[in-house]
């Protein structure tokens, strides 16, 4: 009885291996035929619109990261994509051309850039705008080095915008000159007034006549 079972098991094992072998050979043959006519590519879709084919998903994502998401320019704070590309593996005719450059251009159109700049205010009134926080702080520190300016109310206001046209900054030299003039004018105004009684400003200099 055991002998018969072992013989049947051996027979079915051989048959199974033979069938599996035939399937593998058939699959290899079909795959070879397909590869002769078709090639694997990634179809790239952005905002439900197919924008092209690329050979390597990893390569195009690396390109997007280095040349789009890492875009660096004056006042640029962050770069994001309004709609990110999606990828689907497909087999297409070998004559079909890939268009990585078109994919990058379509992705670039999805860029959403946030800009950052810094306003310098005197008594809560914005006087100047510069590119960097360090520039604004250096201007304030330098102005306050003068003893008569140590108590002036100068502050930095951080601003962000997605509209590049709103970013209108000046150089450090121009900003410093403008703020220095505003501070001097403020000091002159303060020097000409010693007090205020019931809304009436009293001048330091005696009123003649």
């Amino acid at each position: 009885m055991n002998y018969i079972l072992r013989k049947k098991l051996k027979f079915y094992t051989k048959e199974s291996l033979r069938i599996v072998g035939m399937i593998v050979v058939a699959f290899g043959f079909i795959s070879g035929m397909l590869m002769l006519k078709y090639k694997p590519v990634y179809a790239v879709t952005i905002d439900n619109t197919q924008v092209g084919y690329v050979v390597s998903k990893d390569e195009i994502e690396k390109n997007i990261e280095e040349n789009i998401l890492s875009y660096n320019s004056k006042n640029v704070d962050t770069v994001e994509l309004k709609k990110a590309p999606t990828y689907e593996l497909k087999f297409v005719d070998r004559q079909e051309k890939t268009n990585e450059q078109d994919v990058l251009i379509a992705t670039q159109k999805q860029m959403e850039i946030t800009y950052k700049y810094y306003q310098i205010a005197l008594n809560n009134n914005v006087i100047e705008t510069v590119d960097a926080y360090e520039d604004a702080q250096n201007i304030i520190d330098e102005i306050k080095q003068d003893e008569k300016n140590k108590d002036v109310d100068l502050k930095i206001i951080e601003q962000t915008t997605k509209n590049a046209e709103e970013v209108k900054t000046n150089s450090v030299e121009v900003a410093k000159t403008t703020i220095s003039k505003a501070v001097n004018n403020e000091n002159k105004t303060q020097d000409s007034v010693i007090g205020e009684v019931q809304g009436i400003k009293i001048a330091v200099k005696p009123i003649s006549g």
Side-chain angles (χ1 to χ4, degrees), residues 39-42 52-55 95-101:
K39 62 181 179 181
V41 296
Y42 286 94
Y53 295 113
V54 299
V55 174
Q95 303 304 315
E96 186 78 47
K97 293 182 179 180
T98 56
N99 48 346
E100 283 80 0
Q101 195 62 36

Side-chain angles (χ1 to χ4, degrees), residues 89-105:
L89 182 62
K90 289 187 175 182
F91 286 88
V92 299
D93 192 286
R94 284 196 166 273
Q95 303 304 315
E96 186 78 47
K97 293 182 179 180
T98 56
N99 48 346
E100 283 80 0
Q101 195 62 36
D102 291 341
V103 170
L104 288 175
I105 291 172

Side-chain angles (χ1 to χ4, degrees), residues 41-59:
V41 296
Y42 286 94
V44 184
T45 301
I46 298 178
D47 196 17
N48 298 319
T49 301
Q50 184 170 307
V51 295
Y53 295 113
V54 299
V55 174
S56 171
K57 174 185 174 182
D58 291 340
E59 191 63 33

Side-chain angles (χ1 to χ4, degrees), residues 35-156:
M35 293 302 290
L36 287 175
K37 183 173 177 57
Y38 301 100
K39 62 181 179 181
V41 296
Y42 286 94
V44 184
T45 301
I46 298 178
D47 196 17
N48 298 319
T49 301
Q50 184 170 307
V51 295
Y53 295 113
V54 299
V55 174
S56 171
K57 174 185 174 182
D58 291 340
E59 191 63 33
I60 201 71
E61 286 190 331
K62 179 182 176 183
N63 214 324
I64 290 171
E65 178 64 35
E66 292 179 351
N67 298 305
I68 296 178
L69 293 177
S70 297
Y71 172 69
N72 187 23
S73 186
K74 189 174 73 170
N75 299 109
V76 171
D77 184 37
T78 60
V79 179
E80 298 174 320
L81 296 178
K82 289 177 284 187
K83 296 288 184 178
T86 58
Y87 306 87
E88 181 183 0
L89 182 62
K90 289 187 175 182
F91 286 88
V92 299
D93 192 286
R94 284 196 166 273
Q95 303 304 315
E96 186 78 47
K97 293 182 179 180
T98 56
N99 48 346
E100 283 80 0
Q101 195 62 36
D102 291 341
V103 170
L104 288 175
I105 291 172
T107 305
Q108 192 175 34
K109 291 179 180 178
Q110 296 297 319
M111 288 174 68
E112 186 172 66
I113 302 174
T114 300
Y115 301 90
K116 183 183 289 185
Y117 57 98
Y118 296 87
Q119 297 173 330
I120 303 175
L122 173 62
N123 298 329
N124 293 321
N125 295 315
V126 174
I127 305 299
E128 266 293 359
T129 305
V130 293
D131 298 318
Y133 179 88
E134 293 77 10
D135 292 338
Q137 190 62 59
N138 288 338
I139 290 171
I140 291 175
D141 290 344
E142 193 167 338
I143 289 175
K144 286 196 171 188
Q145 283 180 357
D146 192 325
E147 184 67 23
K148 69 176 182 295
N149 297 334
K150 66 178 183 178
D151 293 325
V152 294
D153 181 18
L154 286 171
K155 64 179 61 175
I156 301 171

